[in-house]
Amino acid sequence: MTKAIPNILLIYTGGTIGMIKDPETGALRAFDFDNLLVRIPELKLLECNIETTSFDEPIDSSNMKPEYWVEIAEVIEEHYHAFDGFVVLHGSDTMSYTASALSFMLEHLAKPVVFTGSQLPIGDLRTDAKENLITSIQVTALQHYNKPVIKEVCLYFEYKLYRANRTTKINAEHFEAFASLNYPDLAESGVHLKVNHEYLFKPNARKELLVHKTLDSNIALVKLFPGISEALLRSIFSTEGLKGVVLETYGAGNCSTEDWFVALLKDTIIKGVHIVNVTQCSGGSVMMGQYETSEKLKRIGLISGKDITTEAAICKLMYLLGQNVSPNLFKTIYQTALRGELT
Ligand code: ASP
């Protein structure tokens, strides 16, 4: 079999990787994508055909929103058959959210979609952008018998390839900005590019890509803290149109056993609002019922987020609400791993 040269589409959405310093204010802002390729002539040395496309107006990822997630999904959908893989350049601040959302939106994905970015702009002398971009392209181009090795949405940063919906941004300064505390790395870049094949997602090869574009953002993220007031929670839970809440609890999914608190959660669930229990800890899992302080939550019908990240929990909630899943099935489907996002 002759080895085919992979075709890779590079999608630039914005982020530090392509930013320059404004000479007047000194603040970083996105610049024209064409300049990005001029700055990395090494890309021509890679054994693949690279084409590029860019957001009309690249953004700092702090301005990211579901409409842009749909835009990225549509670019992938439009070019899905013409390319063997996709590299998405994205700001690191909300990269885990976008990449998690895309993992749900792209059902039966059978090609790599690798998100990357950098902590320093590509033009900076000490930049981490070149390694991140070059290795992301190499990972995306990996093939076995002319078929992609990676068949899921990933995030590559500082020598590691992660399952995207397992990642969290953990550091605003270190080059090692991301972690995947509840799932092993998919690949590591050292002298060799070592792929951990046993951890890769294996999609159903017989199904065609299905792109879901309806996301419902009528949700809230509530992080508990000792002393959180009843009035505050009441006002959040009675927000007009609210359909779901990701509740960040303590440890293995524990929270206050005070009557008003449990009654408020119970009434909210009875009203039809889905409440997902995720832990504030960076690693580990919710285990409702392990302590008395979570036993009641189980009884009143909270959904267990198990070991999902908050980022993936938010995106899964928006995705499933957009799917109009029947209320009876919602909890079971939420607690099922759809794209390898929970154990
Ligand atoms: N603020 C930037 C962004 O998320 C940070 C980065 O790219 O790393 O767009």
Side-chain angles (χ1 to χ4, degrees):
M1 183 186 275
T2 44
K3 199 166 164 269
I5 296 191
N7 296 314
I8 308 297
L9 183 62
L10 215 60
I11 305 166
Y12 179 55
T13 68
T16 300
I17 192 162
M19 286 185 180
I20 44 162
K21 255 199 185 117
D22 187 302
E24 274 168 32
T25 64
L28 288 171
R29 62 172 165 79
F31 79 121
D32 186 10
F33 182 58
D34 296 340
N35 291 337
L36 184 78
L37 294 179
V38 171
R39 283 174 195 270
I40 325 175
E42 293 92 331
L43 291 180
K44 295 195 189 82
L45 303 175
L46 295 171
E47 275 178 48
C48 48
N49 301 317
I50 303 171
E51 282 190 34
T52 59
T53 180
S54 166
F55 271 14
D56 289 342
E57 288 194 18
I59 56 163
D60 184 300
S61 79
S62 308
N63 284 318
M64 194 39 81
K65 50 188 171 186
E67 288 89 320
Y68 292 131
W69 297 345
V70 173
E71 207 174 316
I72 300 170
E74 283 177 339
V75 171
I76 294 171
E77 181 180 35
E78 193 187 326
H79 298 93
Y80 192 67
H81 295 292
F83 289 88
D84 299 290
F86 304 84
V87 175
V88 184
L89 300 178
H90 192 288
S92 63
D93 287 347
T94 62
M95 194 187 292
S96 291
Y97 289 93
T98 304
S100 296
L102 264 291
S103 77
F104 295 112
M105 295 164 78
L106 303 173
E107 190 174 4
H108 307 311
L109 178 72
K111 296 185 179 184
V113 173
V114 178
F115 278 76
T116 195
S118 64
Q119 293 281 59
L120 283 176
I122 202 115
D124 196 292
L125 217 47
R126 294 192 309 106
T127 190
D128 52 331
K130 287 192 182 183
E131 198 285 319
N132 285 348
L133 177 57
I134 289 168
T135 311
S136 291
I137 295 173
Q138 283 185 324
V139 164
T140 307
L142 282 178
Q143 298 210 330
H144 185 64
Y145 290 112
N146 292 341
K147 290 261 182 303
V149 170
I150 313 282
K151 297 167 183 154
E152 60 181 301
V153 182
C154 303
L155 189 154
Y156 182 83
F157 227 87
E158 192 63 3
Y159 304 110
K160 284 184 180 161
L161 182 75
Y162 309 100
R163 173 165 300 156
N165 57 32
R166 293 293 195 146
T167 62
T168 301
K169 185 171 181 185
I170 48 147
N171 204 300
E173 196 177 326
H174 293 170
F175 286 153
E176 192 166 353
F178 290 87
S180 165
L181 287 157
N182 286 332
Y183 198 75
D185 307 334
L186 301 182
E188 205 174 326
S189 167
V191 173
H192 302 287
L193 198 54
K194 184 175 167 286
V195 179
N196 297 320
H197 290 271
E198 67 274 36
Y199 298 125
L200 300 179
F201 191 75
K202 293 166 191 74
N204 184 336
R206 285 189 299 269
K207 302 263 177 129
E208 279 288 305
L209 176 75
L210 208 60
V211 184
H212 302 280
K213 299 178 192 172
T214 314
L215 298 150
D216 192 334
S217 52
N218 285 304
I219 63 168
L221 168 61
V222 178
K223 182 172 186 158
L224 295 183
F225 59 90
I228 192 165
S229 80
E230 181 173 351
L232 176 78
L233 285 178
R234 256 186 213 290
S235 107
I236 295 173
F237 287 138
S238 57
T239 304
E240 178 124 14
L242 185 72
K243 295 189 188 147
V245 177
V246 172
L247 186 68
E248 275 199 1
T249 58
Y250 310 121
N254 307 315
C255 57
S256 161
T257 47
E258 279 183 86
D259 288 344
W260 69 263
F261 180 74
V262 179
L264 179 59
L265 294 186
K266 189 176 171 188
D267 293 346
T268 307
I269 293 170
I270 289 170
K271 270 193 317 194
V273 176
H274 304 287
I275 307 185
V276 184
N277 186 357
V278 302
T279 173
Q280 294 182 8
C281 299
S282 334
S285 183
V286 160
M287 283 181 284
M288 284 195 290
Q290 189 190 25
Y291 289 89
E292 193 191 7
T293 42
S294 66
E295 211 282 319
K296 284 184 185 158
L297 301 184
K298 195 175 174 181
R299 258 191 286 140
I300 62 173
L302 253 78
I303 297 169
S304 173
K306 302 184 185 178
D307 62 348
I308 200 167
T309 60
T310 296
E311 291 88 336
I314 294 271
C315 298
K316 190 172 185 176
L317 199 50
M318 286 194 200
Y319 163 69
L320 288 180
L321 287 170
Q323 293 296 297
N324 278 323
V325 174
S326 99
N328 301 338
L329 291 177
F330 198 93
K331 185 176 173 192
T332 311
I333 296 182
Y334 197 100
Q335 292 182 164
T336 307
L338 302 178
R339 310 281 190 269
E341 74 283 6
L342 48 83
T343 310

